[in-house]
């Protein structure tokens, strides 16, 4: 049986990620591989750390990229910070809050769940009530930008409340970083992870993370070893340490790191504030067009993520038929609903390089045609 | 502070990996990203499974690539197969056997270690003696090709002995797969992991794995959940399942999978037997040249990996001075010694696309010059 090279078409990616990627990032990705201990590679990693600090708005020395996707970044935060018996509050309002719960259970933490409805932000008052009820809580975890629903929570307020009760925070910024403000130092976040393939607009497979001094202290003071060798940050730290002290841990995904570096150079050139503004502007562009098509958002306006737009599928319209039409006729991908929203919602991503006029206008026109022909 | 794009030089990679990568693989890597749930991507993943089955010489249905480097592939095997209290024998003859020990401890297995000297193969008789002493052993783990020393163990015999004592096997084939015979079904291996950046000659960051029916059964019968959510194969299995049944788990590293697919198409086109022969031939080419330079192998001839050649650094020659000369004057990377061998050995890799006449001849000539000028 003969096998052929795989030559994918050029899709326009407007789902929940991976997103459209700049040709500059794809070009960086395919530059010649060099050794992961090559002095030039180590210089590049050091620069990547600086660029990630900028994206996260932090001076945290321990800021790097986990060599695996966002779910591994999430797990890295939990298995390193949660010790057996630690009480952990997870605010759950979608798929990724649920995944956080799983992580607490598998880390043998004592789990407290604070629930909010799918499609809504986390309610700060509920977190505060839970902390009053459980004053021995060690860690508060929540998702800043729920990719499954498009809801944006108030990370600043949630972190402030957690600090008032002496807790460390674990925050999922997979879909927020680069798209809306994420201010790690100003908001006093402790363990924060993201993904390479959302608003940073690089290829999927890496998870930027940053740990505050307090988080590092908790890791150093652990009485039990981290259950994961691969994600044990006390080992990974030595690998990402400054020049000359680098200890071998694993072989870094060299080319994916080139791509992330390039994506972050582009973000730095544009400027974070400008990037946030661009996402907001394209969201307004999209929202206006969706209104004209009488398509309704699931998330109330004040809690909407500009970069991830979840809309009700109108009655009588078949989810898969429309998405297949867009993919086959326009090479345009929008996202299906996840979990509770499967079959009932679409997710339109405006992530990083994908948040451009040409994408939004095309998406609106193609959706209009799909609804006319298939509605 | 301005940041620039990173433009690495074209190195000749003859260390322990990452290795030289074919331009065809780098071209595949930078093809347009498509969604990880796109029907065309799912087709590609199915084809990748077939290609990996060929590389592993197995009919195991559960054959795929972990979305993270080889160390995560190792951890995936241990955390899924080892249940708390399971007795596990680890044969240790280098860095990666030591890492296996760490994995058993962190999985709460009961650890038995069988030691062989660095630079030597695992002794089958020692394994058999340990199994006689510990007849309640559940799992035997060993490294087929020790990347830290260049020693090749007799995987077929070790697996046969383990089976005689009713054990499952976990086998590290990171540096062996594609370079020397690895016959998963014929040798009755149970949980086998590898890396993308060695003899498969793709970019680093992925870990091909395969699990036998018996290994899958052990996972299904577990009384406790797998401690890692990211590496829980009962979840990952649903993601790599056949067409139409795919359950979302994490976002696959789309472009890295393109590259691995292309590297495996190249391997399939060449044919496994031809690839093994090419590695052997280039090893002979290298060995002949090293003899002329009076450089000695560390590993006895019968236990040598053709694809990873560990040689003594001659007295009076400084390790780093020579490696820096090769890197700076020739863009040629050879590997340093690891662990016990740091400063005392070089590791010359002939991995996958790197195992070519032009690389070997250049390496010999450059080494000759380095030793003349710096010795």
């Amino acid at each position: 049986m003969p096998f052929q090279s795989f030559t994918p078409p050029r899709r326009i990616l407007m789902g929940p990620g991976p997103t459209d990627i700049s040709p500059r990032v794809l070009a960086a990705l395919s530059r010649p591989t060099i050794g992961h201990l090559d002095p030039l590679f180590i210089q590049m990693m050091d620069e990547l750390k600086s660029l990630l600090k900028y994206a996260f708005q932090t001076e945290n020395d321990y800021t790097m990229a986990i060599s695996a996707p966002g779910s591994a970044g999430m797990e890295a935060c939990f298995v390193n910070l949660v010790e057996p018996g630690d009480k952990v509050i997870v605010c759950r309002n979608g798929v990724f809050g649920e995944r956080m719960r799983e992580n607490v259970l598998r880390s043998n933490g004592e789990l407290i769940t604070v629930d909010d409805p799918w499609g809504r932000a986390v309610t700060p008052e509920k977190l505060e009530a839970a902390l009053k009820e459980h004053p021995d809580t060690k860690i508060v975890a929540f998702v800043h930008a729920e990719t499954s629903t498009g809801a944006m929570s108030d990370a600043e307020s949630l972190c402030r409340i957690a600090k008032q009760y002496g807790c460390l925070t674990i925050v999922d910024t997979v879909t927020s970083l680069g798209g809306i403000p994420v201010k790690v130092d100003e908001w006093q976040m402790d363990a924060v992870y993201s993904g390479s393939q959302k608003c940073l607009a690089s290829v999927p497979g890496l998870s930027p993370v940053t740990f505050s001094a307090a988080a590092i202290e908790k890791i150093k003071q652990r009485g039990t070893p981290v259950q994961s060798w691969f994600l044990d940050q006390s080992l990974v730290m030595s690998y990402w340490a400054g020049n000359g002290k680098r200890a071998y841990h694993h072989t870094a995904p060299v080319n994916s790191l080139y791509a992330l570096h390039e994506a972050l150079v582009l973000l730095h050139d544009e400027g974070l504030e400008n990037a946030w503004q661009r996402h907001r502007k394209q969201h307004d562009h999209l929202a206006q067009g969706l209104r004209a098509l009488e398509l309704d958002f699931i998330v109330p306006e004040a809690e909407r993520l500009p970069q991830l737009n979840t809309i009700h599928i109108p009655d009588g319209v078949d989810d898969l038929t429309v998405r297949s039409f867009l993919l086959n006729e326009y090479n345009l991908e929008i996202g299906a609903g996840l979990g509770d929203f499967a079959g009932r919602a679409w997710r339109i991503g405006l992530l990083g390089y994908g948040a451009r006029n040409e994408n939004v206008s095309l998406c609106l026109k193609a959706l209009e045609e799909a609804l006319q022909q298939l509605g």
Side-chain angles (χ1 to χ4, degrees), chain A:
Chain A
M1 168 175 159
F3 289 92
Q4 306 290 326
S5 297
F6 179 65
T7 49
R10 167 80 180 85
R11 303 287 204 205
I12 299 146
L13 299 179
M14 301 186 71
T19 187
D20 267 11
I21 293 173
S22 159
R24 267 184 61 179
V25 173
L26 287 176
L29 180 65
S30 63
R31 292 202 177 109
T33 306
I34 64 176
H36 68 116
L37 300 172
D38 192 306
L40 294 177
F41 186 69
I42 292 175
Q43 275 178 34
M44 193 282 288
M45 280 170 96
D46 287 340
E47 208 172 278
L48 183 53
K49 278 175 72 166
S50 303
L51 285 161
L52 285 174
K53 284 183 186 179
Y54 171 71
F56 276 123
Q57 295 282 283
T58 185
E59 293 302 319
N60 285 342
D61 191 49
Y62 195 66
T63 303
M64 38 74 77
I66 300 269
S67 302
S71 341
M74 178 190 287
E75 188 162 325
C77 292
F78 282 91
V79 296
N80 282 276
L81 260 62
V82 178
E83 287 188 271
D86 278 357
K87 196 171 270 188
V88 184
I89 293 181
V90 171
C91 304
R92 175 175 62 168
N93 63 337
V95 165
F96 296 94
E98 170 57 25
R99 188 170 296 183
M100 284 180 152
R101 280 183 73 245
E102 275 285 338
N103 270 276
V104 175
L105 295 173
R106 293 182 193 223
S107 305
N108 298 306
E110 193 187 327
L111 174 72
I112 312 290
T113 310
V114 172
D115 273 314
D116 270 296
W118 276 57
R120 298 301 305 269
V122 172
T123 309
E125 293 74 19
K126 286 191 189 174
L127 169 61
E128 184 145 25
L131 283 163
K132 274 190 184 135
E133 197 182 331
H134 303 281
D136 54 338
T137 301
K138 297 271 181 65
I139 294 168
V140 169
F142 67 90
V143 178
H144 185 204
E146 242 305 342
T147 319
S148 61
T149 69
M152 171 171 64
S153 291
D154 179 353
E156 184 175 11
S157 295
L158 294 170
C159 286
R160 187 173 50 237
I161 294 166
K163 283 289 146 192
Q164 281 164 2
Y165 289 81
C167 293
L168 294 175
T169 52
I170 296 178
V171 187
D172 178 322
T173 66
V174 168
T175 292
S176 53
L177 191 69
I180 52 173
V182 173
K183 299 181 174 179
V184 167
D185 288 359
E186 192 181 321
W187 298 349
Q188 295 193 64
M189 302 158 105
D190 291 302
V192 186
Y193 60 92
S194 190
S196 49
Q197 80 284 11
K198 310 278 188 181
C199 296
L200 302 181
S202 187
V203 287
L206 297 178
S207 180
V209 293
T210 185
F211 290 88
S212 71
I216 295 292
E217 196 51 32
K218 176 93 160 82
I219 296 173
K220 286 190 177 157
Q221 298 297 328
R222 287 182 66 99
T224 53
V226 172
Q227 64 195 31
S228 168
W229 185 90
F230 176 59
L231 298 173
D232 184 340
Q233 296 304 294
S234 64
L235 304 175
V236 178
M237 273 174 219
S238 313
Y239 185 54
W240 279 78
N243 250 329
K245 296 179 296 178
R246 190 145 316 208
Y248 167 68
H249 180 259
H250 65 277
T251 302
V254 174
N255 293 67
S256 295
L257 289 166
Y258 293 167
L260 181 60
H261 179 277
E262 185 72 10
L264 288 165
V265 168
L266 289 173
L267 179 64
H268 189 264
D269 285 353
E270 179 179 18
L272 263 180
E273 289 77 5
N274 292 334
W276 299 335
Q277 218 163 30
R278 176 169 50 81
H279 283 90
R280 166 61 57 190
K281 188 178 147 200
Q282 292 305 330
H283 167 78
D284 291 343
H285 178 181
L286 180 74
Q288 195 178 16
L290 292 175
R291 259 195 306 278
L293 295 173
E294 296 179 344
L295 290 169
D296 298 321
F297 280 92
I298 285 180
V299 179
E301 190 162 357
E303 300 170 12
R304 265 176 221 163
L305 286 167
Q307 68 271 42
L308 194 68
N309 300 271
T310 312
I311 54 181
H312 291 285
I313 298 177
D315 287 341
V317 172
D318 182 64
D319 171 27
L320 189 59
T321 307
V322 169
R323 285 191 295 109
S324 299
F325 174 87
L326 296 176
L327 197 65
N328 296 328
E329 302 300 321
Y330 282 95
N331 273 308
L332 171 66
E333 179 181 87
I334 66 169
L338 204 58
D340 289 1
F341 288 162
R344 305 198 293 125
W346 289 317
R347 290 182 294 161
I348 302 179
L350 305 170
L351 306 169
Y353 183 70
R356 306 197 311 290
N357 259 330
E358 50 270 48
N359 276 20
V360 175
S361 292
L362 174 70
C363 177
L364 288 168
K365 195 68 190 159
L367 257 182
E368 182 184 350
E369 194 182 321
L371 293 172
Q372 276 171 359
Q373 289 192 19
L374 311 166

